Amino acid sequence: MIVHKNQIVFRHAHLDTEEGRMSQTKNDNFKKLKIDIEKNGILNPLICTEKDGKYRLCIGQRRFIAGCLLGIEEYKIKIVDNEEVDTLLNPCKEYIKVHKDGTPLAL
């Protein structure tokens, strides 16, 4: 499914502010991701849940932010239910760096 960027909202509170979103852009891995997206586009869909016509972004925050900075207006998404999100995230938690409050830095 393809949706406009304005229909996508963030799942984690630390990304709900401009400061939170922009803090994701300061490391070298993000810069490499942005260059790759500029060259090849976003290859994998963003993983979202749906509620009231909005799509809550669960996996793919860095891709979404990079795409927005590059001017991408529409994104391919895959809609999953909340239980599926937990199933997808749990095996990865030991590899994900987290904020002091326990929320992921970026996925």
Side-chain angles (χ1 to χ4, degrees):
M1 166 180 229
I2 307 268
V3 299
H4 190 272
K5 69 179 182 179
N6 292 341
Q7 292 178 275
I8 298 173
V9 296
F10 288 103
R11 176 181 167 122
H12 301 291
H14 70 278
L15 287 175
D16 286 340
T17 65
E18 192 63 29
E19 180 182 341
R21 287 190 290 274
M22 296 314 290
S23 70
Q24 303 295 311
T25 66
K26 298 184 187 218
N27 66 54
D28 288 336
N29 287 335
F30 181 85
K31 292 173 186 171
K32 290 176 188 174
L33 174 67
K34 186 177 169 194
I35 291 167
D36 185 66
I37 289 173
E38 188 171 31
K39 181 179 176 183
N40 301 305
I42 297 175
L43 303 177
N44 295 304
L46 307 175
I47 306 299
C48 301
T49 57
E50 181 180 13
K51 184 176 181 181
D52 300 327
K54 293 284 187 176
Y55 303 97
R56 187 164 291 258
L57 182 56
C58 300
I59 300 174
Q61 287 95 334
R62 292 183 331 121
R63 285 176 278 153
F64 179 74
I65 293 167
C68 288
L69 292 172
L70 291 167
I72 296 173
E73 296 282 320
E74 294 186 326
Y75 293 83
K76 185 175 181 181
I77 66 168
K78 179 178 178 179
I79 300 170
V80 299
D81 60 33
N82 285 324
E83 290 79 26
E84 278 187 274
V85 171
D86 292 338
T87 301
L88 291 168
L89 287 178
N90 284 337
C92 300
K93 283 186 179 175
E94 68 181 277
Y95 303 105
I96 297 171
K97 294 180 182 177
V98 296
H99 284 279
K100 291 176 186 173
D101 66 2
T103 57
L105 287 170
L107 298 171

